[in-house]
Amino acid sequence: ASGDRLSEGSTKATGYDPRTRDWYKAAARGEGPVSVGPYEMATTDALGMTIAQAHRGNGNVVIGIDVILDTITGFLAAERMTPETVAFIIDAAGNLVIHSDPKATQQVLAPRSDEGQRSSDPLIHGVLADQNWREGARSIEVGGRTFLVMVAPISSALLFAGHRLVVAAPMDELLAPANRALLQALGVSIFVVILALLCAVLLARLITKSLYRLTDGATRLQSLDFTTPIDVASHVSEIAMLGSAMNKARNAIFTFALYVPKEVVRRGIQSGQFGGRAAWRQQVTALFTDIYDFTTISERHTPEDVVAMLSEYFDVFSMTVNEHGGTIIQFLGDSVFAMWNAPIVDEEHAWHACRCALKVEEKLRAFNAAQLEKGLPQFRTRFGIHSGMAVVGSVGASERLQYTAMGDTINVASRLEGMNKAYGTTILASDTVVKLCEKHIRFRKLGSAQAKGRVVALEIYEVMGEVTHAASEGAGR
């Protein structure tokens, strides 16, 4: 504004005459608007194209407009989908016209001849080597990489008419976001799966813990063990319902177990011999007991007192028989019927039966002492023991079975118990019992006797006690 000179420059000398330029000549022919280039501008050396048209009134007047290619290459570069995506324009002959990289365009067009020059870029060569390069999308392999290539004709009626725009993007770059998303999704999926597995394992442990408790409770029920209730706390309604049902079953079985010989059921299940009405021959040792003058005792005491005394009396038998491997088959009024070697096998059944009788006799002395202190009568008990073959199994009606043993062996044991009256003894055994356990039990021979209902006489022995270790050594000497 003050008239100061800001800058100064000089233009290079040139013999520029527009009438010699291709764009002027093409427009002066009056063929309408024309497009010429790309080429280097005469004054600026920039790459560009010229659009020209002759004046309608005077054909020697031509108006030309220069389009600098930097604008187009800048647009192509700015619109790349990935960092290494390239875009270029080729003419109908396959010559490179414009490249999104200005240096590539400059390198090709600077020495360009009238015949044109193809680019040495391997990607362009790869595109042009495809027979179908003139249209559509395809993938090609260049330099060990896969490129997605799109070739589309340029629809302009003037600028780049008949040329084609080619966009080539590396497949690895195109898929990179998808691959990253895939990896992220895979990582999230793995995390979710691991979390689900951990939750499933935790839930399974909670469920299996409850199931183990139910299984343990069922096993105890099978063994007729009612000491521990089936306590299973679970948030799974089905398991909670099952635990409640098993507790009800436990209570029902416990109630009915009071009315049947529990040991018979337990041992029968263990031996696998319970399967409906069936019986088999087996060698057993049977023990029968009876109380002296029980009728008189019952007459002199109330039924409630008799039941109370018998209950304690039978507790002594039940505990002692179990301790010696036997099974109480039945309580018959004031009598006890016990058996060895069935349903569980016992090779020393005769010895164990004799030991049991001696032990019960010992415990009854303490029981009777307590009875005297209470002013109650003593229970003097007789025992009969016999070994032999018997028919053992489940007998009875189809809806009511009883596990028992029948045969001469059982009858003889019962008769031996009654014969104690004649001999004034407590425990009588047969010669069969003596032969089976004379090394362990001391016997006193009483002679032969005729049991009621039998033709063959019996050799009768009194059970005196167990053979001590010193006595065995003396007998050996």
Side-chain angles (χ1 to χ4, degrees):
S2 60
D4 297 331
R5 184 170 53 195
L6 299 178
S7 63
E8 177 180 335
S10 60
T11 59
K12 61 181 180 180
T14 178
Y16 177 76
D17 184 353
R19 292 172 300 177
T20 63
R21 310 299 287 180
D22 292 339
W23 58 269
Y24 182 90
K25 294 177 181 180
R29 288 195 291 268
E31 298 177 355
V34 298
S35 166
V36 179
Y39 61 91
E40 288 186 1
M41 299 294 177
T43 56
T44 62
D45 296 330
L47 292 177
M49 298 182 69
T50 300
I51 301 175
Q53 183 175 356
H55 195 279
R56 293 179 181 178
N58 184 355
N60 293 325
V61 177
V62 176
I63 299 174
I65 300 174
D66 291 335
V67 179
I68 304 302
L69 295 186
D70 289 348
T71 303
I72 300 177
T73 56
F75 171 78
L76 293 177
E79 295 299 320
R80 290 181 298 179
M81 293 180 290
T82 67
E84 296 189 32
T85 296
V86 296
F88 52 88
I89 298 175
I90 54 177
D91 59 19
N95 296 313
L96 178 65
V97 177
I98 298 177
H99 197 284
S100 56
D101 182 2
K103 294 182 179 179
T105 304
Q106 182 73 30
Q107 180 180 3
V108 173
L109 296 183
R112 188 167 180 170
S113 63
D114 292 339
E115 293 79 11
Q117 178 176 335
R118 296 205 173 196
S119 171
S120 60
D121 189 333
L123 178 58
I124 298 178
H125 278 284
V127 173
L128 298 179
D130 190 343
Q131 295 181 357
N132 298 322
W133 68 269
R134 294 182 179 277
E135 60 182 12
R138 66 195 59 84
S139 61
I140 61 173
E141 296 287 336
V142 177
R145 299 179 73 183
T146 301
F147 286 81
L148 180 63
V149 178
M150 181 69 184
V151 180
I154 298 177
S155 59
S156 172
L158 182 60
L159 195 62
F160 302 120
H163 292 25
R164 286 171 174 78
L165 174 65
V166 181
V167 179
M171 194 70 76
D172 54 356
E173 289 188 353
L174 285 175
L175 297 179
N179 289 334
R180 287 194 298 269
L182 178 62
L183 291 176
Q184 292 176 354
L186 182 61
V188 172
S189 300
I190 292 175
F191 174 77
V192 171
V193 169
I194 293 176
L195 183 61
L197 288 176
L198 291 176
C199 293
V201 170
L202 179 60
L203 180 60
R205 286 181 63 87
L206 293 176
I207 294 176
T208 54
K209 185 177 180 181
S210 300
L211 293 178
Y212 283 144
R213 290 181 179 176
L214 289 174
T215 303
D216 180 64
T219 303
R220 293 199 304 271
L221 281 182
Q222 181 181 356
S223 302
L224 303 181
D225 178 8
F226 307 106
T227 56
T228 306
I230 303 173
D231 184 15
V232 179
S234 175
H235 296 290
V236 181
S237 60
E238 289 80 1
I239 295 179
M241 291 173 60
L242 180 58
S244 176
M246 290 188 65
N247 265 315
K248 293 179 181 178
R250 170 186 173 274
N251 295 335
I253 296 173
F254 171 74
T255 301
F256 282 102
L258 299 176
Y259 296 90
V260 296
K262 185 168 63 175
E263 285 302 314
V264 171
V265 177
R266 178 187 294 123
R267 297 184 181 188
I269 293 174
Q270 291 174 355
S271 63
Q273 295 178 353
F274 282 5
R277 287 188 289 189
W280 51 92
R281 291 176 60 86
Q282 185 172 343
Q283 187 180 35
V284 299
T285 295
L287 180 146
F288 274 85
T289 72
D290 191 38
I291 301 175
Y292 281 98
D293 296 329
F294 184 74
T295 303
T296 303
I297 295 174
S298 300
E299 183 182 0
R300 294 177 179 177
H301 295 81
T302 64
E304 291 79 7
D305 291 338
V306 173
V307 170
M309 290 186 289
L310 273 181
S311 296
E312 294 184 19
Y313 173 79
F314 286 147
D315 284 341
V316 173
F317 270 92
S318 178
M319 182 181 302
T320 311
V321 170
N322 290 338
E323 290 173 352
H324 290 80
T327 302
I328 294 179
I329 302 300
Q330 196 173 11
F331 293 116
L332 303 170
D334 62 313
S335 301
V336 177
F337 170 25
M339 186 167 60
W340 278 258
N341 203 35
I344 300 300
V345 176
D346 182 0
E347 295 181 356
E348 302 288 349
H349 50 91
W351 175 31
H352 292 156
C354 292
R355 288 188 64 200
C356 177
L358 292 169
K359 191 65 176 179
V360 170
E361 186 180 36
E362 176 186 334
K363 289 184 177 181
L364 287 179
R365 285 194 287 269
F367 171 81
N368 287 325
Q371 288 285 95
L372 286 176
E373 291 181 1
K374 299 175 185 177
L376 298 174
Q378 300 183 66
F379 284 5
R380 295 167 54 208
T381 304
R382 301 186 297 260
F383 300 81
I385 306 172
H386 181 53
S387 298
M389 297 301 296
V391 177
V392 181
S394 299
V395 298
S398 59
E399 296 182 358
R400 176 72 180 273
L401 297 177
Q402 180 178 359
Y403 182 82
T404 187
M406 296 182 295
D408 183 62
T409 299
I410 308 304
N411 294 331
V412 169
S414 178
R415 297 291 184 265
L416 286 172
E417 175 272 314
M419 294 169 69
N420 281 287
K421 295 180 181 179
Y423 289 93
T425 55
T426 302
I427 307 174
L428 287 182
S430 66
D431 57 340
T432 308
V433 175
V434 175
K435 293 176 182 179
L436 291 174
C437 61
E438 59 184 346
K439 295 182 180 179
H440 305 288
I441 301 295
R442 292 183 294 108
F443 297 95
R444 182 170 69 93
K445 187 174 182 179
L446 300 177
S448 299
Q450 189 73 36
K452 183 179 179 181
R454 294 187 91 248
V455 176
V456 181
L458 289 172
E459 293 293 329
I460 308 300
Y461 292 81
E462 181 182 8
V463 179
M464 304 300 295
E466 291 192 71
V467 176
T468 62
H469 181 69
S472 298
E473 290 182 350
R477 289 193 293 270

